[in-house]
Amino acid sequence: QVQLVESGGGLVEPGGSLRLSCTTSGFAFGNFALAWFPQAPGKEREGVASVDNIGIIRYADSVKGRFTISKDDFENAVHLQMDSPKPDDTATYYCAAGSWVVGSLRRADYDYWGQGTQVTVS
C-alpha cells in the first residue's frame, strides 16, 4: 500500500522558516521523483520543487533562493525547507511521487499523493 504522509505545517511569520517533511512507503523510493505542490483556496495545485531519482532538482521561479528540497534515501523521506516565506506561500502543501519523471513540476507527471499539510504565513 502506497503512503505519503506530510508533516511540519503550521503558522509561520513572514521572513521566518518552516520545514515540511513527507515520509513514504509502499513503492521503490529510489526509482521515483518527489515533489511538493502547494494549493491555495481557489487556485490550481502547482509544483514548486522537485528532486528526481538521480538528484536533479528543479524549483519554480517563485521559490528559488527561498525553498530547498532534499530527500533522505535511508528514511524514504523528502523535505522542504521554507526560508523567508511570504503570505502568498500560504497553501496546503502536498507531497507527490512519480516514476520516470525528470525535472518536472507538472502535476500530471506524478502518480502518488499525500493528504497535505497546511502552511499559513501571517
Side-chain angles (χ1 to χ4, degrees):
Q1 181 181 1
V2 173
Q3 287 191 316
L4 292 86
V5 180
E6 301 93 337
S7 62
L11 176 65
V12 60
E13 294 183 349
S17 63
L18 199 66
R19 179 177 168 89
L20 307 183
S21 295
C22 174
T23 57
T24 74
S25 62
F27 62 95
F29 183 85
N31 293 337
F32 277 67
L34 286 302
W36 288 93
F37 287 76
Q39 185 171 21
K43 294 188 177 181
E44 294 291 322
R45 190 178 300 186
E46 297 182 339
V48 293
S50 68
V51 53
D52 69 20
N53 64 316
I54 59 173
I56 294 176
I57 290 175
R58 183 175 178 183
Y59 295 103
D61 289 343
S62 60
V63 305
K64 281 181 181 176
R66 301 188 300 119
F67 291 5
T68 303
I69 190 171
S70 62
K71 65 174 185 170
D72 185 331
D73 290 329
F74 182 75
E75 297 286 344
N76 287 356
V78 62
H79 308 285
L80 185 68
Q81 179 68 38
M82 304 173 64
D83 295 320
S84 300
K86 305 174 182 178
D88 284 350
D89 296 322
T90 295
T92 299
Y93 281 71
Y94 296 89
C95 171
S99 61
W100 304 103
V101 176
V102 178
S104 173
L105 295 175
R106 293 195 328 134
R107 180 177 179 177
D109 288 337
Y110 289 83
D111 307 301
Y112 304 129
W113 295 83
Q115 294 300 306
T117 186
Q118 176 66 38
V119 173
T120 302
V121 185
S122 178

